[in-house]
mmCIF file of all heavy atoms in Angstrom:
data_model
loop_
_atom_site.group_PDB
_atom_site.id
_atom_site.type_symbol
_atom_site.label_atom_id
_atom_site.label_comp_id
_atom_site.label_asym_id
_atom_site.label_seq_id
_atom_site.Cartn_x
_atom_site.Cartn_y
_atom_site.Cartn_z
ATOM 1 N N THR A 42 -32.438 -42.713 31.387
ATOM 2 C CA THR A 42 -33.465 -43.496 30.716
ATOM 3 C C THR A 42 -33.539 -43.057 29.251
ATOM 4 O O THR A 42 -33.333 -41.886 28.935
ATOM 5 C CB THR A 42 -34.845 -43.242 31.360
ATOM 6 O OG1 THR A 42 -35.060 -41.834 31.450
ATOM 7 C CG2 THR A 42 -34.943 -43.862 32.742
ATOM 8 N N TRP A 43 -33.842 -44.002 28.379
ATOM 9 C CA TRP A 43 -34.140 -43.770 26.959
ATOM 10 C C TRP A 43 -32.954 -43.185 26.183
ATOM 11 O O TRP A 43 -31.981 -42.724 26.789
ATOM 12 C CB TRP A 43 -35.385 -42.886 26.808
ATOM 13 C CG TRP A 43 -36.566 -43.436 27.552
ATOM 14 C CD1 TRP A 43 -37.253 -42.833 28.571
ATOM 15 C CD2 TRP A 43 -37.194 -44.729 27.375
ATOM 16 N NE1 TRP A 43 -38.264 -43.648 29.018
ATOM 17 C CE2 TRP A 43 -38.249 -44.809 28.293
ATOM 18 C CE3 TRP A 43 -36.964 -45.804 26.513
ATOM 19 C CZ2 TRP A 43 -39.066 -45.934 28.408
ATOM 20 C CZ3 TRP A 43 -37.777 -46.917 26.613
ATOM 21 C CH2 TRP A 43 -38.812 -46.979 27.547
ATOM 22 N N THR A 81 -42.927 -35.895 25.770
ATOM 23 C CA THR A 81 -43.506 -36.160 27.092
ATOM 24 C C THR A 81 -42.689 -35.524 28.229
ATOM 25 O O THR A 81 -42.906 -35.821 29.399
ATOM 26 C CB THR A 81 -43.601 -37.681 27.365
ATOM 27 O OG1 THR A 81 -42.286 -38.211 27.331
ATOM 28 C CG2 THR A 81 -44.473 -38.382 26.350
ATOM 29 N N ASP A 97 -43.917 -32.666 36.374
ATOM 30 C CA ASP A 97 -43.403 -33.244 37.625
ATOM 31 C C ASP A 97 -41.879 -33.329 37.484
ATOM 32 O O ASP A 97 -41.392 -33.803 36.452
ATOM 33 C CB ASP A 97 -43.903 -34.688 37.819
ATOM 34 C CG ASP A 97 -45.408 -34.793 38.052
ATOM 35 O OD1 ASP A 97 -46.048 -33.778 38.354
ATOM 36 O OD2 ASP A 97 -45.927 -35.920 37.938
ATOM 37 N N PHE A 219 -51.115 -47.855 29.620
ATOM 38 C CA PHE A 219 -49.787 -47.285 29.790
ATOM 39 C C PHE A 219 -48.902 -47.897 28.711
ATOM 40 O O PHE A 219 -48.103 -48.773 28.962
ATOM 41 C CB PHE A 219 -49.237 -47.620 31.186
ATOM 42 C CG PHE A 219 -49.019 -46.388 32.004
ATOM 43 C CD1 PHE A 219 -50.011 -45.890 32.819
ATOM 44 C CD2 PHE A 219 -47.819 -45.715 31.932
ATOM 45 C CE1 PHE A 219 -49.814 -44.749 33.567
ATOM 46 C CE2 PHE A 219 -47.617 -44.564 32.675
ATOM 47 C CZ PHE A 219 -48.618 -44.080 33.489
ATOM 48 N N GLY A 220 -49.145 -47.470 27.434
ATOM 49 C CA GLY A 220 -48.418 -48.059 26.314
ATOM 50 C C GLY A 220 -47.059 -47.422 26.141
ATOM 51 O O GLY A 220 -46.554 -46.772 27.043
ATOM 52 N N LEU A 221 -46.512 -47.581 24.948
ATOM 53 C CA LEU A 221 -45.154 -47.103 24.708
ATOM 54 C C LEU A 221 -45.065 -45.589 24.556
ATOM 55 O O LEU A 221 -44.063 -44.991 24.897
ATOM 56 C CB LEU A 221 -44.631 -47.747 23.423
ATOM 57 C CG LEU A 221 -43.667 -48.908 23.588
ATOM 58 C CD1 LEU A 221 -43.233 -49.415 22.232
ATOM 59 C CD2 LEU A 221 -42.453 -48.494 24.406
ATOM 60 N N SER A 223 -47.495 -42.993 25.433
ATOM 61 C CA SER A 223 -48.358 -42.042 26.120
ATOM 62 C C SER A 223 -47.656 -41.386 27.301
ATOM 63 O O SER A 223 -48.259 -40.600 28.010
ATOM 64 C CB SER A 223 -49.623 -42.746 26.600
ATOM 65 O OG SER A 223 -49.281 -43.765 27.494
ATOM 66 N N HIS A 224 -46.410 -41.682 27.511
ATOM 67 C CA HIS A 224 -45.715 -41.185 28.702
ATOM 68 C C HIS A 224 -44.238 -41.490 28.555
ATOM 69 O O HIS A 224 -43.865 -42.355 27.765
ATOM 70 C CB HIS A 224 -46.229 -41.930 29.942
ATOM 71 C CG HIS A 224 -46.110 -43.410 29.785
ATOM 72 N ND1 HIS A 224 -45.051 -44.119 30.276
ATOM 73 C CD2 HIS A 224 -46.884 -44.301 29.130
ATOM 74 C CE1 HIS A 224 -45.202 -45.405 29.957
ATOM 75 N NE2 HIS A 224 -46.300 -45.542 29.263
ATOM 76 N N ASP A 225 -43.402 -40.818 29.263
ATOM 77 C CA ASP A 225 -41.965 -41.110 29.402
ATOM 78 C C ASP A 225 -41.372 -40.114 30.373
ATOM 79 O O ASP A 225 -41.890 -39.009 30.522
ATOM 80 C CB ASP A 225 -41.205 -40.997 28.074
ATOM 81 C CG ASP A 225 -41.140 -42.329 27.352
ATOM 82 O OD1 ASP A 225 -41.320 -43.356 28.021
ATOM 83 O OD2 ASP A 225 -40.929 -42.331 26.131
ATOM 84 N N THR A 226 -40.292 -40.534 30.991
ATOM 85 C CA THR A 226 -39.606 -39.667 31.952
ATOM 86 C C THR A 226 -38.135 -39.648 31.605
ATOM 87 O O THR A 226 -37.583 -40.699 31.275
ATOM 88 C CB THR A 226 -39.746 -40.242 33.378
ATOM 89 O OG1 THR A 226 -41.121 -40.289 33.720
ATOM 90 C CG2 THR A 226 -38.995 -39.426 34.404
ATOM 91 N N ILE A 227 -37.511 -38.468 31.679
ATOM 92 C CA ILE A 227 -36.057 -38.516 31.736
ATOM 93 C C ILE A 227 -35.705 -38.679 33.195
ATOM 94 O O ILE A 227 -36.125 -37.897 34.055
ATOM 95 C CB ILE A 227 -35.344 -37.290 31.115
ATOM 96 C CG1 ILE A 227 -33.830 -37.501 31.299
ATOM 97 C CG2 ILE A 227 -35.806 -35.962 31.719
ATOM 98 C CD1 ILE A 227 -32.972 -36.661 30.395
ATOM 99 N N SER A 228 -35.014 -39.762 33.488
ATOM 100 C CA SER A 228 -34.502 -40.000 34.828
ATOM 101 C C SER A 228 -33.006 -40.204 34.646
ATOM 102 O O SER A 228 -32.594 -41.102 33.898
ATOM 103 C CB SER A 228 -35.178 -41.235 35.426
ATOM 104 O OG SER A 228 -34.736 -41.422 36.740
ATOM 105 N N SER A 243 -37.621 -35.491 35.042
ATOM 106 C CA SER A 243 -38.604 -34.523 34.569
ATOM 107 C C SER A 243 -39.569 -35.222 33.624
ATOM 108 O O SER A 243 -39.146 -36.036 32.797
ATOM 109 C CB SER A 243 -37.916 -33.351 33.859
ATOM 110 O OG SER A 243 -38.884 -32.366 33.532
ATOM 111 N N THR A 244 -40.847 -34.926 33.756
ATOM 112 C CA THR A 244 -41.857 -35.592 32.923
ATOM 113 C C THR A 244 -43.164 -34.805 32.929
ATOM 114 O O THR A 244 -43.412 -34.017 33.844
ATOM 115 C CB THR A 244 -42.130 -37.025 33.440
ATOM 116 O OG1 THR A 244 -43.109 -37.654 32.605
ATOM 117 C CG2 THR A 244 -42.646 -37.048 34.865
ATOM 118 N N ASN A 245 -43.976 -35.041 31.888
ATOM 119 C CA ASN A 245 -45.354 -34.528 31.896
ATOM 120 C C ASN A 245 -46.288 -35.562 32.508
ATOM 121 O O ASN A 245 -47.502 -35.333 32.562
ATOM 122 C CB ASN A 245 -45.832 -34.221 30.477
ATOM 123 C CG ASN A 245 -45.001 -33.170 29.779
ATOM 124 O OD1 ASN A 245 -44.694 -33.291 28.604
ATOM 125 N ND2 ASN A 245 -44.617 -32.127 30.505
ATOM 126 N N GLY A 246 -45.765 -36.724 32.888
ATOM 127 C CA GLY A 246 -46.618 -37.758 33.492
ATOM 128 C C GLY A 246 -47.427 -38.490 32.437
ATOM 129 O O GLY A 246 -47.018 -38.591 31.283
ATOM 130 N N ALA A 247 -48.579 -38.966 32.834
ATOM 131 C CA ALA A 247 -49.372 -39.820 31.956
ATOM 132 C C ALA A 247 -50.331 -39.000 31.103
ATOM 133 O O ALA A 247 -50.988 -38.084 31.608
ATOM 134 C CB ALA A 247 -50.165 -40.799 32.803
ATOM 135 N N LYS A 250 -54.317 -38.094 31.973
ATOM 136 C CA LYS A 250 -54.496 -38.327 33.415
ATOM 137 C C LYS A 250 -55.639 -37.463 33.945
ATOM 138 O O LYS A 250 -55.977 -36.414 33.349
ATOM 139 C CB LYS A 250 -53.211 -38.000 34.163
ATOM 140 C CG LYS A 250 -52.802 -36.541 34.031
ATOM 141 C CD LYS A 250 -51.428 -36.305 34.648
ATOM 142 C CE LYS A 250 -50.956 -34.908 34.376
ATOM 143 N NZ LYS A 250 -49.721 -34.808 33.635
ATOM 144 N N ARG A 254 -53.498 -35.461 39.145
ATOM 145 C CA ARG A 254 -52.680 -36.676 39.317
ATOM 146 C C ARG A 254 -51.183 -36.326 39.348
ATOM 147 O O ARG A 254 -50.683 -35.551 38.549
ATOM 148 C CB ARG A 254 -52.954 -37.643 38.154
ATOM 149 C CG ARG A 254 -52.151 -38.944 38.195
ATOM 150 C CD ARG A 254 -50.908 -38.925 37.321
ATOM 151 N NE ARG A 254 -50.344 -40.272 37.164
ATOM 152 C CZ ARG A 254 -49.159 -40.520 36.628
ATOM 153 N NH1 ARG A 254 -48.410 -39.538 36.191
ATOM 154 N NH2 ARG A 254 -48.713 -41.760 36.522
ATOM 155 N N VAL A 255 -50.484 -36.887 40.308
ATOM 156 C CA VAL A 255 -49.026 -36.765 40.365
ATOM 157 C C VAL A 255 -48.462 -38.165 40.209
ATOM 158 O O VAL A 255 -48.911 -39.106 40.870
ATOM 159 C CB VAL A 255 -48.579 -36.149 41.708
ATOM 160 C CG1 VAL A 255 -47.075 -36.245 41.865
ATOM 161 C CG2 VAL A 255 -49.031 -34.703 41.801
ATOM 162 N N GLY A 256 -47.484 -38.312 39.324
ATOM 163 C CA GLY A 256 -46.884 -39.627 39.108
ATOM 164 C C GLY A 256 -45.720 -39.879 40.041
ATOM 165 O O GLY A 256 -45.574 -39.215 41.074
ATOM 166 N N ASP A 257 -44.869 -40.817 39.634
ATOM 167 C CA ASP A 257 -43.716 -41.156 40.463
ATOM 168 C C ASP A 257 -42.554 -40.186 40.253
ATOM 169 O O ASP A 257 -41.598 -40.167 41.033
ATOM 170 C CB ASP A 257 -43.258 -42.592 40.186
ATOM 171 C CG ASP A 257 -42.930 -42.814 38.713
ATOM 172 O OD1 ASP A 257 -43.395 -42.026 37.865
ATOM 173 O OD2 ASP A 257 -42.217 -43.790 38.408
ATOM 174 N N GLY A 258 -42.626 -39.361 39.186
ATOM 175 C CA GLY A 258 -41.504 -38.483 38.826
ATOM 176 C C GLY A 258 -40.928 -37.673 39.976
ATOM 177 O O GLY A 258 -39.712 -37.610 40.151
ATOM 178 N N PRO A 259 -41.774 -37.038 40.804
ATOM 179 C CA PRO A 259 -41.209 -36.213 41.881
ATOM 180 C C PRO A 259 -41.084 -36.953 43.215
ATOM 181 O O PRO A 259 -40.875 -36.323 44.256
ATOM 182 C CB PRO A 259 -42.241 -35.083 41.990
ATOM 183 C CG PRO A 259 -43.529 -35.710 41.590
ATOM 184 C CD PRO A 259 -43.217 -36.835 40.640
ATOM 185 N N SER A 264 -39.046 -42.720 41.260
ATOM 186 C CA SER A 264 -38.498 -42.469 39.912
ATOM 187 C C SER A 264 -36.976 -42.390 39.923
ATOM 188 O O SER A 264 -36.340 -42.552 38.882
ATOM 189 C CB SER A 264 -39.040 -41.152 39.390
ATOM 190 O OG SER A 264 -38.576 -40.106 40.224
ATOM 191 N N ALA A 276 -35.913 -44.548 37.076
ATOM 192 C CA ALA A 276 -37.014 -45.404 36.623
ATOM 193 C C ALA A 276 -37.927 -44.657 35.661
ATOM 194 O O ALA A 276 -37.968 -43.427 35.644
ATOM 195 C CB ALA A 276 -37.821 -45.887 37.826
ATOM 196 N N THR A 277 -38.674 -45.415 34.866
ATOM 197 C CA THR A 277 -39.694 -44.867 33.994
ATOM 198 C C THR A 277 -40.781 -45.925 33.828
ATOM 199 O O THR A 277 -40.516 -47.101 34.015
ATOM 200 C CB THR A 277 -39.095 -44.465 32.624
ATOM 201 O OG1 THR A 277 -40.124 -43.969 31.773
ATOM 202 C CG2 THR A 277 -38.419 -45.645 31.935
ATOM 203 N N GLY A 278 -41.985 -45.494 33.529
ATOM 204 C CA GLY A 278 -43.062 -46.471 33.344
ATOM 205 C C GLY A 278 -44.318 -46.059 34.080
ATOM 206 O O GLY A 278 -44.519 -44.871 34.372
ATOM 207 N N ASP A 279 -45.150 -47.033 34.376
ATOM 208 C CA ASP A 279 -46.450 -46.780 34.998
ATOM 209 C C ASP A 279 -46.265 -46.338 36.453
ATOM 210 O O ASP A 279 -46.263 -47.140 37.393
ATOM 211 C CB ASP A 279 -47.289 -48.061 34.929
ATOM 212 C CG ASP A 279 -48.717 -47.820 35.399
ATOM 213 O OD1 ASP A 279 -48.961 -46.815 36.093
ATOM 214 O OD2 ASP A 279 -49.581 -48.654 35.095
ATOM 215 N N GLY A 280 -46.136 -44.997 36.600
ATOM 216 C CA GLY A 280 -45.799 -44.443 37.904
ATOM 217 C C GLY A 280 -46.849 -44.682 38.971
ATOM 218 O O GLY A 280 -46.528 -44.753 40.157
ATOM 219 N N ASP A 281 -48.120 -44.808 38.545
ATOM 220 C CA ASP A 281 -49.171 -45.043 39.542
ATOM 221 C C ASP A 281 -48.931 -46.358 40.270
ATOM 222 O O ASP A 281 -49.224 -46.479 41.459
ATOM 223 C CB ASP A 281 -50.541 -45.055 38.859
ATOM 224 C CG ASP A 281 -50.919 -43.657 38.381
ATOM 225 O OD1 ASP A 281 -50.901 -42.724 39.205
ATOM 226 O OD2 ASP A 281 -51.187 -43.496 37.176
ATOM 227 N N ILE A 282 -48.408 -47.332 39.535
ATOM 228 C CA ILE A 282 -48.105 -48.615 40.167
ATOM 229 C C ILE A 282 -46.710 -48.608 40.775
ATOM 230 O O ILE A 282 -46.508 -49.028 41.922
ATOM 231 C CB ILE A 282 -48.275 -49.753 39.141
ATOM 232 C CG1 ILE A 282 -49.767 -49.933 38.882
ATOM 233 C CG2 ILE A 282 -47.622 -51.051 39.628
ATOM 234 C CD1 ILE A 282 -50.133 -50.960 37.865
ATOM 235 N N MET A 283 -45.740 -48.075 40.029
ATOM 236 C CA MET A 283 -44.347 -48.171 40.493
ATOM 237 C C MET A 283 -44.120 -47.461 41.826
ATOM 238 O O MET A 283 -43.353 -47.920 42.671
ATOM 239 C CB MET A 283 -43.408 -47.648 39.409
ATOM 240 C CG MET A 283 -43.411 -48.564 38.183
ATOM 241 S SD MET A 283 -42.457 -47.963 36.813
ATOM 242 C CE MET A 283 -40.814 -48.536 37.237
ATOM 243 N N MET A 284 -44.822 -46.331 42.036
ATOM 244 C CA MET A 284 -44.542 -45.578 43.281
ATOM 245 C C MET A 284 -45.011 -46.326 44.530
ATOM 246 O O MET A 284 -44.625 -45.989 45.640
ATOM 247 C CB MET A 284 -45.114 -44.166 43.216
ATOM 248 C CG MET A 284 -46.585 -44.049 43.313
ATOM 249 S SD MET A 284 -47.018 -42.329 43.718
ATOM 250 C CE MET A 284 -47.394 -41.689 42.126
ATOM 251 N N VAL A 321 -46.171 -51.866 32.960
ATOM 252 C CA VAL A 321 -44.998 -51.602 32.128
ATOM 253 C C VAL A 321 -44.067 -50.669 32.895
ATOM 254 O O VAL A 321 -44.519 -49.682 33.505
ATOM 255 C CB VAL A 321 -45.336 -50.962 30.763
ATOM 256 C CG1 VAL A 321 -46.007 -51.939 29.837
ATOM 257 C CG2 VAL A 321 -46.162 -49.697 30.909
ATOM 258 N N TRP A 340 -42.228 -53.962 28.251
ATOM 259 C CA TRP A 340 -41.734 -53.264 27.067
ATOM 260 C C TRP A 340 -40.219 -53.416 27.000
ATOM 261 O O TRP A 340 -39.564 -53.815 27.959
ATOM 262 C CB TRP A 340 -42.143 -51.777 27.044
ATOM 263 C CG TRP A 340 -41.687 -50.962 28.243
ATOM 264 C CD1 TRP A 340 -40.902 -51.411 29.280
ATOM 265 C CD2 TRP A 340 -41.970 -49.584 28.531
ATOM 266 N NE1 TRP A 340 -40.709 -50.394 30.175
ATOM 267 C CE2 TRP A 340 -41.342 -49.274 29.741
ATOM 268 C CE3 TRP A 340 -42.684 -48.586 27.870
ATOM 269 C CZ2 TRP A 340 -41.417 -48.003 30.320
ATOM 270 C CZ3 TRP A 340 -42.746 -47.331 28.444
ATOM 271 C CH2 TRP A 340 -42.132 -47.043 29.653
HETATM 272 N N1 LIG B 401 -43.427 -42.606 35.333
HETATM 273 C C1 LIG B 401 -44.085 -41.536 34.649
HETATM 274 C C2 LIG B 401 -45.396 -41.281 35.323
HETATM 275 O O1 LIG B 401 -46.110 -42.220 35.629
HETATM 276 C C3 LIG B 401 -44.280 -41.789 33.204
HETATM 277 C C4 LIG B 401 -43.157 -42.525 32.538
HETATM 278 O O2 LIG B 401 -42.027 -42.510 32.991
HETATM 279 O O3 LIG B 401 -43.369 -43.181 31.532
HETATM 280 O O4 LIG B 401 -45.745 -40.148 35.511
#
Side-chain angles (χ1 to χ4, degrees):
T42 50
W43 306 119
T81 61
D97 293 345
F219 243 91
L221 258 181
S223 61
H224 55 96
D225 268 340
T226 299
I227 179 161
S228 183
S243 186
T244 180
N245 299 139
K250 62 187 173 240
R254 179 262 193 191
V255 170
D257 57 340
S264 64
T277 178
D279 187 341
D281 290 306
I282 288 178
M283 293 175 85
M284 72 163 97
V321 289
W340 58 4

